[in-house]
Short mmCIF file of all heavy atoms in Angstrom, two decimals:
data_model
loop_
_atom_site.label_atom_id
_atom_site.label_comp_id
_atom_site.label_asym_id
_atom_site.label_seq_id
_atom_site.Cartn_x
_atom_site.Cartn_y
_atom_site.Cartn_z
N LEU U 31 2.12 1.18 0.54
CA LEU U 31 3.01 2.29 0.69
C LEU U 31 3.23 2.83 -0.73
O LEU U 31 3.36 4.00 -1.09
CB LEU U 31 4.18 2.00 1.46
CG LEU U 31 5.14 3.28 1.66
CD1 LEU U 31 4.45 4.38 2.40
CD2 LEU U 31 6.48 2.81 2.48
N ILE U 35 2.89 6.49 -2.43
CA ILE U 35 3.92 7.22 -3.10
C ILE U 35 3.45 7.67 -4.44
O ILE U 35 3.72 8.85 -4.82
CB ILE U 35 5.11 6.44 -3.00
CG1 ILE U 35 5.68 6.22 -1.63
CG2 ILE U 35 6.28 7.14 -3.87
CD1 ILE U 35 6.83 5.18 -1.48
N TRP U 37 0.42 8.05 -5.66
CA TRP U 37 -0.56 9.11 -5.54
C TRP U 37 0.02 10.38 -5.03
O TRP U 37 -0.30 11.47 -5.59
CB TRP U 37 -1.68 8.50 -4.53
CG TRP U 37 -2.83 9.58 -4.24
CD1 TRP U 37 -3.75 9.98 -5.02
CD2 TRP U 37 -2.77 10.40 -3.02
NE1 TRP U 37 -4.44 10.89 -4.21
CE2 TRP U 37 -3.89 11.20 -3.15
CE3 TRP U 37 -1.91 10.49 -1.97
CZ2 TRP U 37 -4.22 12.17 -2.19
CZ3 TRP U 37 -2.27 11.43 -0.91
CH2 TRP U 37 -3.30 12.28 -1.16
N LEU U 46 -1.28 23.28 -7.55
CA LEU U 46 -2.10 23.24 -6.35
C LEU U 46 -2.57 24.57 -5.91
O LEU U 46 -3.23 24.78 -5.05
CB LEU U 46 -1.44 22.58 -5.12
CG LEU U 46 -0.99 21.11 -5.25
CD1 LEU U 46 -0.18 20.70 -4.09
CD2 LEU U 46 -2.18 20.18 -5.52
N ALA U 52 4.54 21.22 -3.37
CA ALA U 52 4.52 19.98 -2.66
C ALA U 52 5.64 19.19 -3.16
O ALA U 52 6.18 19.27 -4.14
CB ALA U 52 3.17 19.35 -3.03
N SER U 57 11.43 7.44 3.14
CA SER U 57 12.19 7.11 4.25
C SER U 57 13.43 6.14 3.79
O SER U 57 13.36 5.50 2.75
CB SER U 57 11.55 6.45 5.45
OG SER U 57 11.12 5.16 5.17
N PRO U 63 8.92 1.08 6.70
CA PRO U 63 9.19 2.23 5.90
C PRO U 63 8.12 3.21 5.78
O PRO U 63 6.95 2.83 6.04
CB PRO U 63 9.58 1.58 4.51
CG PRO U 63 8.86 0.36 4.38
CD PRO U 63 8.78 -0.19 5.89
N ARG U 66 6.35 10.46 2.82
CA ARG U 66 5.49 11.77 3.23
C ARG U 66 5.28 12.66 2.15
O ARG U 66 6.11 12.78 1.16
CB ARG U 66 6.14 12.38 4.49
CG ARG U 66 7.41 13.07 4.22
CD ARG U 66 7.99 13.83 5.53
NE ARG U 66 9.19 14.55 5.21
CZ ARG U 66 10.39 14.11 5.40
NH1 ARG U 66 10.52 12.89 5.90
NH2 ARG U 66 11.34 14.77 5.14
N LEU U 67 4.08 13.36 2.21
CA LEU U 67 3.75 14.35 1.17
C LEU U 67 3.70 15.64 2.05
O LEU U 67 3.07 15.79 3.00
CB LEU U 67 2.35 14.14 0.63
CG LEU U 67 1.79 15.26 -0.23
CD1 LEU U 67 2.75 15.48 -1.44
CD2 LEU U 67 0.36 14.93 -0.67
N GLY U 82 4.57 1.91 5.98
CA GLY U 82 4.43 0.56 5.25
C GLY U 82 3.26 -0.26 5.87
O GLY U 82 2.69 -1.05 5.08
N PHE U 120 -7.10 17.98 2.93
CA PHE U 120 -7.09 19.03 1.87
C PHE U 120 -8.13 20.10 1.98
O PHE U 120 -7.77 21.23 1.74
CB PHE U 120 -7.17 18.33 0.47
CG PHE U 120 -5.86 17.66 0.10
CD1 PHE U 120 -5.85 16.25 0.19
CD2 PHE U 120 -4.77 18.40 -0.32
CE1 PHE U 120 -4.60 15.59 -0.23
CE2 PHE U 120 -3.57 17.62 -0.68
CZ PHE U 120 -3.47 16.29 -0.53
N THR U 127 -7.44 19.35 -5.01
CA THR U 127 -6.68 18.30 -5.56
C THR U 127 -7.13 17.74 -6.78
O THR U 127 -6.56 16.75 -7.46
CB THR U 127 -6.40 17.14 -4.66
OG1 THR U 127 -7.67 16.54 -4.25
CG2 THR U 127 -5.64 17.63 -3.34
#
Side-chain angles (χ1 to χ4, degrees):
L31 183 59
I35 293 168
W37 172 81
L46 297 174
S57 71
R66 65 182 186 262
L67 172 63
F120 284 104
T127 60

